[in-house]
Amino acid sequence: RAAACDTLGKHGEAAERYLDAISDCVKDAEPRVQIAARVALQKHGKVGEGDAEASAQYLEHKDWETRRSACQAIGSLGQAAVPHLAAVAKHLFEPPCIAWDTRCGDDTDFALRVRAAACEALGRHGEAAEPHLGGVALLLQDSDPTVRKAAYEALLGHIEARRQAVAAAVEAIGTNDPDGFARKLLEEISQAVSDSSAPQRQVPQVGD
């Protein structure tokens, strides 16, 4: 049901005839289904009062998939979710959650998926996420490449408006840069500064 809500949230007008069914899922007994339904409805412009609070209550749920879904919801629910960014940022340092993964037939640390979701959520918010960029930058050194990439993409999204904050966060982590993401971010910032300081070429007007 959660997967169905996720899918319907991505299909615009074609999914509008299913909005009543998605709304029913908000009252589902399964937290992940509730969260997915709220996010799907938000994507269709149906924002419910208290959606962010209702999703945030599951950030500390015992189930890692529910914690990940709650992080994803806070990233998707706009300005109303801003008060919960600090709670999401705690999951940048999600402790190990080792369990058997039937897909790969081995033990897996599922906490890495929660850390990646926390990065993505903070990357979707603007100025309100700035206090947490240092924590995101630390995950450029995470043991898992998926988390490192999520951290890179989150920071990359902040360069345009908050390049000084991103530069300070990246420079603070030191020289351990397994994927070269820190170097790439600093290069992007340097290029952005160069572009913004370059003189603008005047476009000749007709008749000049």
Side-chain angles (χ1 to χ4, degrees):
R1 295 190 302 279
C5 288
D6 287 339
T7 300
L8 292 170
K10 298 172 183 175
H11 281 81
E13 288 186 16
E16 288 193 354
R17 58 181 171 146
Y18 301 107
L19 291 184
D20 287 344
I22 298 172
S23 295
D24 289 341
C25 288
V26 170
K27 297 172 280 189
D28 197 276
E30 170 57 51
R32 282 189 292 133
V33 177
Q34 296 176 28
I35 294 167
R38 290 190 175 96
V39 172
L41 289 170
Q42 188 271 341
K43 289 178 179 177
H44 285 279
K46 310 290 185 182
V47 181
E49 185 177 348
D51 278 351
E53 290 79 4
S55 297
Q57 69 176 313
Y58 295 116
L59 285 168
E60 303 303 325
H61 196 275
K62 63 182 180 180
D63 173 55
W64 71 267
E65 288 185 277
T66 301
R67 295 195 300 276
R68 178 182 65 175
S69 294
C71 286
Q72 291 169 334
I74 298 305
S76 299
L77 290 173
Q79 189 65 25
V82 165
H84 307 290
L85 294 184
V88 168
K90 292 179 182 178
H91 292 285
L92 294 172
F93 309 104
E94 179 89 358
C97 176
I98 309 297
W100 183 260
D101 187 345
T102 56
R103 285 171 293 187
C104 67
D106 201 356
D107 284 341
T108 297
D109 181 9
F110 289 104
L112 66 91
R113 300 182 190 178
V114 183
R115 296 198 299 275
C119 285
E120 291 164 5
L122 292 168
R124 290 181 182 146
H125 284 275
E127 185 178 354
E130 186 171 325
H132 310 296
L133 297 185
V136 175
L138 286 173
L139 294 189
L140 294 172
Q141 302 173 333
D142 195 87
S143 60
D144 184 80
T146 302
V147 177
R148 297 197 298 268
K149 185 176 181 183
Y152 167 69
E153 291 177 347
L155 292 167
L156 191 63
H158 282 279
I159 282 179
E160 185 68 28
R162 277 160 289 282
R163 65 180 65 131
Q164 289 184 337
V166 174
V170 171
E171 289 169 352
I173 68 171
T175 57
N176 180 15
D177 187 20
D179 303 294
F181 286 148
R183 175 181 53 77
K184 290 178 185 177
L185 285 164
L186 293 174
E187 288 174 354
E188 290 277 355
I189 292 167
S190 178
Q191 184 62 51
V193 170
S194 176
D195 290 346
S196 64
S197 61
Q200 297 296 310
R201 180 175 175 269
Q202 288 190 333
V203 178
Q205 299 298 310
V206 175
D208 286 355

